[in-house]
Amino acid sequence: MRRGLAAVLALIAVLAANGVAAAASPSRTLEIPRADGTSIQVALFDRGAGPADRLLLVVTGSDCRKAVAQRWIDQTVAAAGPRWVAVVDKDGASADGTCGAGYEAHATEEARWYDHLAAMRRLKHELGLRPSGAFQVMALSAGGLTGCALAAASDDVGALALLSTGGGMIFADELRLLSKGDADMAANIERMSRDPRMGQTWMGGTNPQIWWWSVLGKRCLPLLRGTTIPVLIVHGDKDTSVPVESARTLREGLAGAGPAVTYMEMPTEHDLGLKNLPADQNGVARALAWLGPR
């Protein structure tokens, strides 16, 4: 595996790689218990305006950066439609994105799904949200699988925005496409699928091998077929972390399958212009405008 490619792929799904939000701060942090005695940490932002019976749930990508340290959080809180914005932080989340102690124990994709569903239930009851369709879900990069799972599993999701998530191909095929048939990558995928090693990461990234193992064979497409909520897909045609072909495949696979799909392809990289486009033109702004108050 070439070192340069390994470095790119190790950073898969990081929409906000640098910078700490200065203005936005959670009005509070909710703690929701798990069966093993640990707690799910939910950062809850109160915008002070917008429909109070709805909430924008942001599902982050593959790093462990705290919600308040994400570059997009100020923009999201400022421009969201509902009054409430929430983010489920990963265990051991930090300001620099390093995954701390406890993350590996709750790092499989299905564990993430549970954490978000538990958070939705708590938020719905504590904030008095509407009986159905109370949540807008905006999923970033590797958070797309969780966003799709929430939409498939709960009537509480009223709209889903997928930003740089791919989703039409399984994760292993996305990696194969990005690596252009690299033999080392193929060997890593094969080994990871049968023998994930606890206590180790893959390709030098922050994610433990158990997370990679849990996502290699998954994609959004079968989860969204049959749902009827509106779905937005936004992807950059220069994305070198998640191939645009996967987003196109998701759009094609959902045609006539139930969801009302809006597709936006931008001339950007994985961050959808977050670093170099005006705040009202990047992918986050487009998703927030599409979601609106709903």
Side-chain angles (χ1 to χ4, degrees):
M1 178 77 192
R2 294 183 300 277
R3 173 176 262 175
L5 178 59
V8 170
L9 296 181
L11 292 175
I12 255 185
V14 182
L15 269 167
N18 296 294
V20 176
S25 60
S27 57
R28 55 184 162 141
T29 298
L30 303 181
E31 293 195 7
I32 303 169
R34 298 190 185 97
D36 63 1
T38 61
S39 295
I40 303 163
Q41 305 287 314
V42 183
L44 177 63
F45 300 82
D46 183 354
R47 300 179 57 249
D53 64 344
R54 298 166 202 174
L55 181 147
L56 173 63
L57 179 65
V58 183
V59 185
T60 58
S62 66
D63 75 350
C64 291
R65 201 174 304 274
K66 278 184 168 293
V68 294
Q70 300 279 3
R71 286 183 61 181
W72 41 261
I73 195 63
D74 283 329
Q75 178 180 345
T76 300
V77 172
R83 172 178 174 178
W84 309 102
V85 177
V87 185
V88 179
D89 276 326
K90 294 180 180 177
D91 283 29
S94 61
D96 66 359
T98 302
C99 300
Y103 175 47
E104 189 170 35
H106 307 104
T108 63
E109 189 62 20
E110 287 83 355
R112 238 194 143 190
W113 298 356
Y114 168 80
D115 284 357
H116 281 77
L117 285 168
M120 287 169 61
R121 183 179 185 276
R122 169 76 174 273
L123 289 163
K124 180 178 179 179
H125 288 282
E126 188 153 322
L127 300 177
L129 303 181
R130 60 191 299 184
S132 63
F135 293 88
Q136 300 175 353
V137 175
M138 186 171 75
L140 313 179
S141 197
L145 274 172
T146 295
C148 293
L150 298 179
S154 175
D155 289 335
D156 286 327
V157 177
L160 173 64
L162 300 172
L163 280 64
S164 299
T165 66
M169 302 175 179
I170 63 170
F171 203 68
D173 286 345
E174 291 179 348
L175 293 176
R176 292 186 186 101
L177 182 60
L178 289 170
S179 65
K180 298 179 172 57
D182 182 271
D184 288 341
M185 174 61 78
N188 271 321
I189 291 171
E190 193 280 327
R191 200 272 300 165
M192 192 71 61
S193 66
R194 58 180 171 77
D195 182 29
R197 296 167 186 170
M198 300 296 288
Q200 298 183 34
T201 61
W202 184 32
M203 301 192 301
T206 56
N207 281 290
Q209 291 191 12
I210 193 68
W211 178 79
W212 290 96
W213 167 82
S214 75
V215 298
L216 284 174
K218 293 182 173 64
R219 60 177 178 161
C220 274
L221 185 54
L223 294 171
L224 293 182
R225 280 183 176 143
T227 63
T228 57
I229 64 169
V231 175
L232 171 69
I233 302 168
V234 187
H235 211 98
D237 62 7
K238 298 177 178 62
D239 195 328
T240 56
S241 292
V242 180
V244 68
E245 290 86 351
S246 186
R248 294 168 182 167
T249 300
L250 180 62
R251 173 193 58 184
E252 294 161 4
L254 292 178
V261 176
T262 301
Y263 183 82
M264 299 182 187
E265 195 166 301
M266 301 178 63
T268 65
E269 299 177 354
H270 189 61
D271 74 341
L272 296 175
L274 200 67
K275 294 189 296 289
N276 54 21
L277 288 179
D280 61 347
Q281 296 178 28
N282 63 38
V284 172
R286 294 189 182 203
L288 293 172
W290 178 85
L291 286 165
R294 288 196 185 273

